[in-house]
Amino acid sequence: MTAQLTALAISCTLKPSPADSSTDLLGSQILAALGEHGVTGESVRAVDHVISPGVEADMGGDDQWPTLREKVHAADILVFLTPTWMGQHSSVAQRALERLDAELSETDDAGRPILFDKVAIAGIVGNEDGAHHIAAILFQSLNDIGYSVPAQGSVYWNGEAMQTVDYKDLPETPEKVAQATATAARNAAHLARRLKSDGYPAE
């Protein structure tokens, strides 16, 4: 029987809801592509939540990361999305990565890191360069805590430098972006399904 998969898209746009967001748009397109492979998806906009600074699973007080963390643990595929600012991922993305650092000390019943057997892909938008640099940072960080990255697992769009056209303003999705989205989704679903049925060994 084909394993049922779920995905969580964490959008690290700097724009609170309900503002239009290029990052959110790319996330919705990736989730739609995953849906074609039987993956049920959910999207959250990190900036809409109180994510306290720190590297613990729960920083106490009004920290809302624990609720997001439950969603992270429940999903087979993490879609991590960020805009590009000054050639870097957003401050919101950095905050989320720092909170995910807590997963390094969490293990499952077999003694493996708790995020083993889960897959991560990246989505990056911006009208300046930096997508490859950002993807490298995201994948290294997410792989460190246990995520597997599928072949060609990043989707990005770089607009013309120092111009005002954003991804959300385009009349249609560029062909290369659509192709990258389809490939990343197909490979992520394939890898996640394999890991769900036959995960990494404990020893």
Side-chain angles (χ1 to χ4, degrees), residues 41 44 66-67 91-92 98 103 108 137 152 159 166-167 195 200:
V44 296
T67 299
S91 58
V92 176
E98 289 167 351
E103 307 311 318
D108 62 16
I137 290 174
Q152 297 186 345
D166 292 331
Y167 185 68
L195 289 173
Y200 290 112

Side-chain angles (χ1 to χ4, degrees), residues 3-190:
Q4 296 299 306
L5 300 175
T6 60
L8 174 68
I10 298 182
S11 171
C12 296
T13 176
L14 299 181
K15 299 176 180 177
S17 299
D20 289 338
S21 164
S22 293
T23 308
D24 271 25
L25 174 59
L26 181 59
S28 68
Q29 292 172 340
I30 294 173
L31 287 179
L34 285 167
E36 295 178 6
H37 299 279
V39 182
T40 302
E42 176 188 4
S43 180
V44 296
R45 196 179 292 203
V47 75
D48 290 339
H49 303 268
V50 177
I51 302 177
S52 301
V55 292
E56 303 296 331
D58 188 343
M59 298 303 299
D62 60 354
D63 184 24
Q64 295 179 338
W65 177 255
T67 299
L68 297 181
R69 182 173 180 261
E70 290 180 4
K71 295 178 182 292
V72 168
H73 283 202
D76 300 299
I77 300 171
L78 176 66
V79 183
F80 198 99
L81 302 130
T82 179
T84 306
W85 292 109
M86 297 183 177
Q88 309 294 320
H89 53 288
S90 73
S91 58
V92 176
Q94 184 61 30
R95 178 69 57 85
L97 290 176
E98 289 167 351
R99 295 305 300 275
L100 284 167
D101 183 79
E103 307 311 318
L104 282 168
S105 60
E106 298 293 326
T107 56
D108 62 16
D109 292 340
R112 308 175 312 151
I114 201 165
L115 294 176
F116 267 29
D117 304 339
K118 295 182 182 293
V119 171
I121 58 178
I124 304 153
V125 295
N127 48 17
E128 58 181 295
D129 198 9
H132 285 173
H133 165 71
I134 293 170
I137 290 174
L138 297 184
F139 286 153
Q140 181 62 57
S141 300
L142 295 171
N143 184 254
D144 275 353
I145 60 175
Y147 280 102
S148 294
V149 178
Q152 297 186 345
S154 66
V155 181
Y156 69 88
W157 177 81
N158 284 141
E160 187 177 357
M162 296 184 288
Q163 300 301 310
T164 58
V165 176
D166 292 331
Y167 185 68
K168 61 182 175 58
D169 300 325
L170 300 179
E172 60 183 8
T173 303
E175 180 180 357
K176 292 295 184 182
V177 176
Q179 290 174 349
T181 299
T183 298
R186 180 173 59 250
N187 291 348
H190 172 77

